[in-house]
Amino acid sequence: MDFIIGHYNYWVVIVLMMVGLYTVISRGNLVKKIIGLNIFQVSVFFLYISLGTVEGGAAPIIAEGVKVYSNPLPHVLILTAIVVGVATTALALALVVRIKETYGTIEEDEIHNLDHSL
Amino acid sequence: MGNHISLLLVIVPLIAAPLVAVLPRGRLPWAVSFAVSVVCAVFAGIQLLSVIQGGVISYELGGWAPPWGIEYRIDAVNAFVALIVSIIAALTLPYALHSAEREIPEEKIPTFYSALLLCLTGLLGITQTGDIFNVFVFLEISSLSSYALISLGKSRQAFTSSYQYLIMGTIGATFYLIGVGLLYSQTGTLNMQDMANILPSVLHLNTVITGFTFIMVGIALKLALFPLHLWLPNAYTYAPTVVTVFLAATATKVAVYVMLRILFTVFPQTFTIATPADELFIVAGMAGVIIASVYAIYQKNIKRLLAYSSVAQIGYMALGIGFASVTGLMATLIHLFNHALMKGALFMAIGAIIYRIDSCRLDQIHGLGRAMPWTFGAIVIGGLSLVGVPGTAGFISKWYLVTAALEQSAWIPVAVILIGSLLAVVYVGKLIEALYFKPVTDNGKTVTEAPLMLLVPTWGLVLANIYFGLDTDLTVGVAEQAAAILGGIKP
């Protein structure tokens, strides 16, 4: 029981990861795929932030009377990863806009039919 | 300058990229990009020389000592890969001038060159850095810019294939990120060298094994290892030809390099061999060689034909990794170089045909070989190199690969390599048959030879194919040194 409750943040990570990945694979709507991708990426952000936590640690800012600090490095890494994630999402959405303009739809199966009925 | 070259190699294209984007239309953006690519090629050449003569270069970014600061750590392996990338860039750019003017709308030309330089930055950054998280950042720089580059293709499928690549590429990169996080949680370091020192004491932990697996799958997606190659044929087919040339010759190669680094430098080789990773590489490599080659035979689009052939060639590199011996790694590294030469030459020649007839369908190119003799010659020699005929670069890679297989008495891979070559004969033969032996389809257009600016870079690569098929001192010498660094211990 302690194993389950004590690692609850990791369970959240795993659930989010699977939800995200499943959405990417199963949805035919291109925007929903991007949402799934975002959830998938966010789960990894949670994973990193969880890794950086030190039990009883304060925020990593030097202050009087504080002896234990959390590890700031994973947070910094994940700031970079968030930026990358935002850029990816922006690019993906831009592509979806262009797909909508040229195909008139953002459903994967309809796009497939349009490409193969020629 | 001295040591700063390792950093300049990444900084110069990075700074040039936004600069190029704001330059006026016309040929100025091209000229600046070309100059940058030449500078990079020179730097990479100097870097390789100094590594071969003086040993490992360690560059501390901002003066922060590793393992805390980011370290660029250059040995023969990455100096070699960096040279391949920058030389291909320096050859692609002269080719880009006319090809891009034809295939990319005029108002997008400056941003096109900007994205190309960013892609170059990312690829060179991956080769230079000795920091495992930095690899992720550069991987995403190169990937994001290549998604944008692919979407510049003329047909609307360019958007969908770019989207498809984006989804799969991001999943791959995120898998890599998960793996890095798990490894960091157990080693507390991101420096590859430092991690390599700490890892042996924590190898039994499930977290490390899981991290290893995530990284393997993530990179396998990026390098389009069969069966994770699904994004590649579409991306290569619908991208503008210049982009195809550049990506086909560099992007997957750099991913192979990352794979080698993780498998053989970061993790101890004993661990890699104890896991099923090496067997998986052999199985995936063999499947890729056979299945992708068969797919290539049935393609009606010449770009897609070569794209499937690329998947097959990546299979050969995977075989070399799977053998995990010094000869096997040498074969992978040599093929890395040679495949960049042959695919570069072939895609450039195909691009010359597209430049003239504006189509890449196999039934539209009938008889063009007689109208475009130089382009046709390039395809013949590039194709022979792809097959692995003695006297061409392709033969050297196949030779080392077969030797590596024979060393381990791995008879099935030997058979697969030979069958793969026979299948290559079939699909290259189809190209040549259509170009030379089929009667010309008369549609009232007379086709003339491609412009010189397209032919010169093409033939530069074609001649390199022949040169490196005859004189193997450079490729084999460097690959030998690089394979020794990576180590590979299985007999």
Side-chain angles (χ1 to χ4, degrees):
Chain A
M1 200 59 199
D2 200 37
F3 178 73
I4 296 173
I5 296 168
H7 292 84
Y8 76 93
N9 40 352
Y10 293 101
W11 294 111
V12 172
V13 168
I14 292 170
V15 169
L16 279 180
M17 206 178 268
M18 291 305 123
V19 167
L21 209 51
Y22 180 76
T23 312
V24 177
I25 296 166
S26 65
R27 296 296 129 175
N29 185 304
L30 299 187
V31 174
K32 286 185 183 164
K33 268 184 193 292
I34 298 174
I35 296 172
L37 202 61
N38 268 313
I39 297 174
F40 179 52
Q41 287 177 317
V42 165
S43 77
V44 183
F45 304 161
F46 279 177
L47 173 72
Y48 268 70
I49 294 165
S50 302
L51 291 176
T53 316
V54 175
E55 219 165 290
I61 302 165
I62 295 176
E64 292 224 0
V66 185
K67 292 238 168 55
V68 186
Y69 295 103
S70 279
N71 184 353
L73 187 72
H75 302 174
V76 178
L77 296 181
I78 232 51
L79 273 179
T80 317
I82 289 172
V83 173
V84 171
V86 170
T88 314
T89 310
L91 183 60
L93 288 172
L95 283 173
V96 173
V97 169
R98 295 305 308 270
I99 289 172
K100 171 78 178 166
E101 279 172 10
T102 46
Y103 286 88
T105 173
I106 52 166
E107 293 293 331
E108 209 172 30
D109 46 347
E110 288 173 23
I111 292 170
H112 186 83
N113 290 338
L114 281 171
D115 273 345
H116 292 268
S117 60
L118 291 171
Chain B
M1 284 211 299
N3 257 336
H4 290 299
I5 277 185
S6 308
L7 182 64
L8 284 173
L9 202 50
V10 183
I11 292 288
V12 171
L14 181 65
I15 290 177
L19 194 77
V20 164
V22 296
L23 286 177
R25 287 175 212 170
R27 289 191 168 171
L28 198 59
W30 170 79
V32 174
S33 315
F34 180 46
V36 167
S37 69
V38 172
V39 168
C40 284
V42 172
F43 282 168
I46 297 173
Q47 179 178 262
L48 181 63
L49 274 182
S50 61
V51 164
I52 287 176
Q53 285 160 2
V56 178
I57 299 175
S58 166
Y59 183 89
E60 296 163 7
L61 254 78
W64 293 87
W68 295 281
I70 293 174
E71 179 196 18
Y72 280 7
R73 196 180 168 84
I74 325 288
D75 55 28
V77 191
N78 40 6
F80 185 51
V81 181
L83 185 70
I84 298 175
V85 172
S86 47
I87 282 188
I88 292 292
L91 280 169
T92 313
L93 271 152
Y95 182 89
L97 180 61
H98 287 305
S99 188
E101 275 173 4
R102 176 65 58 95
E103 291 184 39
I104 295 166
E106 198 203 338
E107 71 273 12
K108 288 189 183 144
I109 293 277
T111 37
F112 160 73
Y113 284 114
S114 174
L116 197 66
L117 284 179
L118 273 180
C119 191
L120 178 65
T121 309
L123 295 172
L124 285 174
I126 297 172
T127 62
Q128 299 294 91
T129 188
D131 184 284
I132 201 163
F133 187 81
N134 215 217
V135 170
F136 165 76
V137 177
F138 280 122
L139 199 66
E140 283 305 78
I141 293 178
S142 68
S143 301
L144 283 168
S145 45
S146 50
Y147 308 146
L149 286 171
I150 290 164
S151 72
L152 285 172
K154 260 184 171 176
S155 60
R156 61 179 181 183
Q157 282 101 323
F159 297 127
T160 41
S161 42
S162 170
Y163 180 87
Q164 191 187 16
Y165 182 18
L166 184 143
I167 296 287
M168 296 189 80
T170 307
I171 291 177
T174 312
F175 266 52
Y176 178 82
L177 191 62
I178 298 171
V180 170
L182 294 175
L183 292 188
Y184 173 75
S185 72
Q186 298 308 319
T187 58
T189 181
L190 291 167
N191 183 294
M192 288 184 188
Q193 210 58 43
D194 199 31
M195 195 178 260
N197 294 335
I198 298 172
L199 267 178
S201 58
V202 290
L203 278 180
H204 57 280
L205 295 173
N206 277 336
T207 316
V208 172
I209 297 168
T210 315
F212 176 78
T213 318
F214 268 114
I215 292 183
M216 286 301 99
V217 177
I219 303 293
L221 249 167
K222 286 279 180 192
L223 67 83
L225 181 68
F226 185 89
L228 302 172
H229 67 283
L230 291 170
W231 57 268
L232 187 142
N234 277 333
Y236 283 14
T237 309
Y238 298 114
T241 317
V242 206
V243 176
T244 312
V245 171
F246 184 66
L247 291 182
T250 55
T252 46
K253 313 290 173 290
V254 170
V256 170
Y257 157 75
V258 177
M259 191 65 109
L260 287 171
R261 261 288 180 251
I262 305 284
L263 281 174
F264 296 101
T265 302
V266 175
F267 280 88
Q269 294 99 355
T270 41
F271 174 80
T272 304
I273 290 167
T275 60
D278 51 337
E279 283 87 0
L280 275 175
F281 272 110
I282 292 184
V283 172
M286 291 198 297
V289 167
I290 300 288
I291 298 172
S293 300
V294 172
Y295 265 106
I297 293 172
Y298 289 102
Q299 295 311 315
K300 303 232 172 334
N301 179 315
I302 42 181
K303 264 169 126 181
R304 190 180 279 270
L305 185 153
L306 289 180
Y308 272 107
S309 145
S310 277
V311 178
Q313 304 298 319
I314 291 160
Y316 290 122
M317 294 175 212
L319 278 177
I321 300 177
F323 294 141
S325 61
V326 171
T327 330
L329 295 181
M330 271 176 74
T332 299
L333 287 163
I334 295 170
H335 199 49
L336 210 82
F337 182 77
N338 291 344
H339 181 240
L341 296 182
M342 53 180 110
K343 260 309 148 40
L346 279 170
F347 272 121
M348 278 184 180
I350 296 292
I353 293 176
I354 296 170
Y355 184 81
R356 279 296 180 229
I357 66 166
D358 207 17
S359 163
C360 44
R361 298 228 331 255
L362 200 59
D363 53 7
Q364 299 270 320
I365 61 166
H366 288 175
L368 282 181
R370 272 165 285 180
M372 308 173 76
W374 287 97
T375 310
F376 178 63
I379 292 181
V380 171
I381 296 174
L384 290 178
S385 188
L386 202 58
V387 172
V389 175
T392 59
F395 175 70
I396 309 294
S397 356
K398 295 262 167 73
W399 174 264
Y400 276 93
L401 201 56
V402 171
T403 314
L406 288 176
E407 272 176 4
Q408 300 179 4
S409 313
W411 300 109
I412 302 174
V414 173
V416 167
I417 295 165
L418 297 179
I419 294 170
S421 303
L422 287 177
L423 291 171
V425 173
V426 178
Y427 61 71
V428 170
K430 268 188 74 172
L431 258 183
I432 293 173
E433 185 201 7
L435 275 170
Y436 199 78
F437 295 105
K438 289 266 176 72
V440 187
T441 35
D442 190 29
N443 49 5
K445 278 191 287 186
T446 41
V447 179
T448 49
E449 186 54 84
L452 208 58
M453 280 292 270
L454 297 188
L455 282 179
V456 170
T458 313
W459 272 87
L461 282 174
V462 167
L463 293 177
N465 264 303
I466 299 172
Y467 177 80
F468 288 109
L470 300 174
D471 177 13
T472 58
D473 278 357
L474 176 72
T475 43
V476 174
V478 175
E480 202 164 15
Q481 205 176 340
I485 290 169
L486 289 171
I489 42 167
K490 216 153 91 171

